[in-house]
């Protein structure tokens, strides 16, 4: 049984006209998941993350800033491309809270896999900064929750968003209980994620070049990232599922198709089955061509339902 966590506020987080991280993205994903073949999904309304859960990975000043900053109307610009509207703090709390609830559910045996169809995304948010469309680092909040509340000793985060998850890396680069494995295009925003950035041996960065497609992506995961993930023997697999390496995506230059997302998802499901009793929780990160995003997320969810 696959659980799907989402919340209406995630559709109300407004980033202004013409912004690529738009409500239309999530609407397209949810519309695709309304199809009959997803009728068996167990749909759950995401709760809010608590301050305690957020403070495991973010400084108090950052949490207060996000919770207090939401404007009563209009938009507030936090950096070049990260904005908040009146509903943004609520959406950010639900996006992080979805991941926490999903971790509780897979560890509690209520389901094996969960997918959080949420926004704002999270993997660029650092301990004390919102950036790159991200307010709270949803996947990091989930990993820290698995360590602190459930006492897990080894949590893996696999990130196949086309951008490097600099925030996730910054949060865990000195935490050997978390292995962070990322494929991303380089050079590209946020210009981190070199292969020699290794943390305490727990960071594995794999770089791809603009124009690379299916073959290079699969070789990188098969040759480097998946072997490191298997060697780590994770007790829980978390996934930063960004779909912006798709060939139709306007923000990057990789050439993946939805079949590549089915492929990597099957590999990560297998990783979880071998080491983690099947436990896998995935969260939506990027993906900025709504049609390609919806098809890719549907391929991802279909594999998670297997
Ligand atoms: Zn991205």
């Amino acid at each position: 049984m696959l659980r799907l966590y989402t919340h209406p506020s995630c559709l109300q987080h407004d980033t202004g006209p013409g912004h690529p991280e738009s409500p239309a993205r999530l609407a397209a994903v949810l519309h695709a998941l309304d199809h009959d073949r997803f009728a068996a999904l167990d749909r759950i309304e995401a709760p809010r993350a608590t301050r305690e859960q957020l403070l495991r990975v973010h400084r108090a000043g950052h949490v207060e800033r996000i919770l207090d900053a939401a404007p009563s109307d209009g938009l507030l610009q936090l950096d070049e491309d990260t904005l908040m509207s009146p509903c943004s703090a609520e959406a950010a709390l639900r996006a992080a809270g979805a991941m926490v609830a999903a971790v509780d559910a897979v560890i509690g045996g209520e389901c094996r896999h969960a997918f959080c169809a949420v926004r704002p995304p999270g993997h660029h948010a650092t301990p004390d900064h919102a950036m790159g469309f991200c307010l709270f680092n949803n996947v990091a909040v989930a990993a820290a929750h698995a360590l602190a509340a459930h006492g897990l000793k080894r949590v893996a985060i696999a990130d196949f968003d086309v951008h490097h998850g600099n925030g996730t890396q910054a949060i865990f680069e000195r935490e050997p209980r978390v292995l962070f494995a990322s494929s991303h295009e380089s050079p590209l925003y946020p210009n981190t994620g070199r292969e020699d950035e290794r943390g305490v041996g727990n960071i594995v960065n794999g770089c791809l070049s603009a124009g690379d497609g299916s073959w290079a992506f699969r070789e990188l995961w098969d040759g480097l990232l998946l072997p490191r993930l298997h060697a780590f023997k994770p007790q829980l697999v978390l996934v930063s599922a960004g779909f912006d390496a798709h060939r139709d995506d306007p923000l990057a230059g990789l050439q993946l198709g939805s079949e590549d997302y089915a492929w990597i998802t099957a590999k990560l499901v297998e990783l979880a089955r071998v080491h983690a009793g099947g436990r896998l929780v995935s969260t939506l990160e990027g993906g900025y061509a709504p049609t390609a995003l919806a098809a890719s997320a549907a391929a991802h969810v279909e594999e998670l339902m297997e």
Side-chain angles (χ1 to χ4, degrees), residues 229-252:
L229 286 161
H230 276 279
F232 183 65
K233 299 184 167 57
Q235 297 166 296
L236 171 68
V237 175
L238 302 178
V239 183
S240 270
F243 300 98
D244 41 8
H246 194 284
R247 63 177 74 86
D248 293 344
D249 199 278
L251 296 196

Side-chain angles (χ1 to χ4, degrees), residues 123 161 163 244:
H123 72 156
D161 189 279
H163 302 97
D244 41 8

Side-chain angles (χ1 to χ4, degrees), residues 18-95:
H19 195 288
E21 205 290 279
S22 66
R25 302 175 54 239
L26 180 57
V29 169
L30 293 174
H31 179 71
L33 298 181
D34 261 343
H35 192 277
D36 284 351
R37 70 185 197 274
F38 299 110
L41 284 176
D42 187 13
R43 291 154 204 269
I44 311 271
E45 182 160 294
R48 296 189 184 99
T50 65
R51 274 179 57 87
E52 182 193 359
Q53 290 160 358
L54 298 170
L55 289 171
R56 291 178 182 136
V57 305
H58 291 296
R59 299 215 175 94
H62 174 66
V63 173
E64 299 311 332
R65 244 188 334 267
I66 297 301
L67 297 183
D68 295 344
S72 49
D73 61 33
L75 296 176
L76 172 77
Q77 187 142 14
L78 297 178
D79 80 356
E80 225 164 78
D81 46 27
T82 311
L83 296 99
M84 292 184 73
S85 65
C87 278
S88 298
E90 176 71 4
L93 287 171
R94 299 285 180 171

Side-chain angles (χ1 to χ4, degrees), residues 7-302:
H7 192 273
S9 65
C10 296
L11 288 165
Q12 287 154 11
H13 162 53
D14 180 10
T15 46
H19 195 288
E21 205 290 279
S22 66
R25 302 175 54 239
L26 180 57
V29 169
L30 293 174
H31 179 71
L33 298 181
D34 261 343
H35 192 277
D36 284 351
R37 70 185 197 274
F38 299 110
L41 284 176
D42 187 13
R43 291 154 204 269
I44 311 271
E45 182 160 294
R48 296 189 184 99
T50 65
R51 274 179 57 87
E52 182 193 359
Q53 290 160 358
L54 298 170
L55 289 171
R56 291 178 182 136
V57 305
H58 291 296
R59 299 215 175 94
H62 174 66
V63 173
E64 299 311 332
R65 244 188 334 267
I66 297 301
L67 297 183
D68 295 344
S72 49
D73 61 33
L75 296 176
L76 172 77
Q77 187 142 14
L78 297 178
D79 80 356
E80 225 164 78
D81 46 27
T82 311
L83 296 99
M84 292 184 73
S85 65
C87 278
S88 298
E90 176 71 4
L93 287 171
R94 299 285 180 171
M99 284 297 280
V100 169
V103 164
D104 287 342
V106 299
I107 293 180
E110 293 161 58
C111 58
R112 240 176 348 136
H113 304 151
F115 178 61
C116 299
V118 293
R119 55 185 288 280
H123 72 156
H124 295 307
T126 70
D128 55 0
H129 280 101
M131 63 180 275
F133 318 156
C134 302
L135 301 179
F136 296 135
N137 194 314
N138 308 320
V139 80
V141 170
H145 182 71
L147 300 177
H150 295 286
L152 297 198
K153 302 276 188 282
R154 294 181 308 282
V155 176
I157 302 174
D159 184 332
F160 56 73
D161 189 279
V162 79
H163 302 97
H164 179 240
N166 63 296
T168 311
Q169 176 172 308
I171 288 166
F172 292 122
E173 63 193 350
R174 286 180 293 279
E175 173 50 85
R177 292 176 296 172
V178 174
L179 183 79
F180 177 61
S182 171
S183 63
H184 45 272
E185 181 179 330
S186 177
L188 188 68
Y189 181 90
N191 296 309
T192 53
R194 292 193 325 262
E195 286 165 2
D196 64 356
E197 294 168 18
R198 298 198 178 105
V200 289
N202 66 324
I203 304 292
V204 193
N205 285 314
C207 298
L208 295 164
S209 301
D212 280 349
S214 184
W215 186 85
F217 177 79
R218 294 183 190 205
E219 185 175 75
L220 175 59
W221 279 93
D222 265 340
L224 174 68
L225 302 173
L226 287 162
R228 288 291 304 274
L229 286 161
H230 276 279
F232 183 65
K233 299 184 167 57
Q235 297 166 296
L236 171 68
V237 175
L238 302 178
V239 183
S240 270
F243 300 98
D244 41 8
H246 194 284
R247 63 177 74 86
D248 293 344
D249 199 278
L251 296 196
L254 297 190
Q255 303 291 319
L256 301 190
S258 56
E259 67 284 0
D260 296 304
Y261 292 113
W263 179 85
I264 185 60
T265 306
K267 294 283 186 178
L268 295 172
V269 164
E270 183 191 12
L271 172 74
R273 182 180 56 73
V274 171
H275 303 288
R279 302 182 296 201
L280 182 152
V281 174
S282 172
T283 187
L284 180 64
E285 299 279 3
Y288 303 100
T291 305
L293 167 63
S296 302
H300 178 62
V301 169
E302 215 162 5

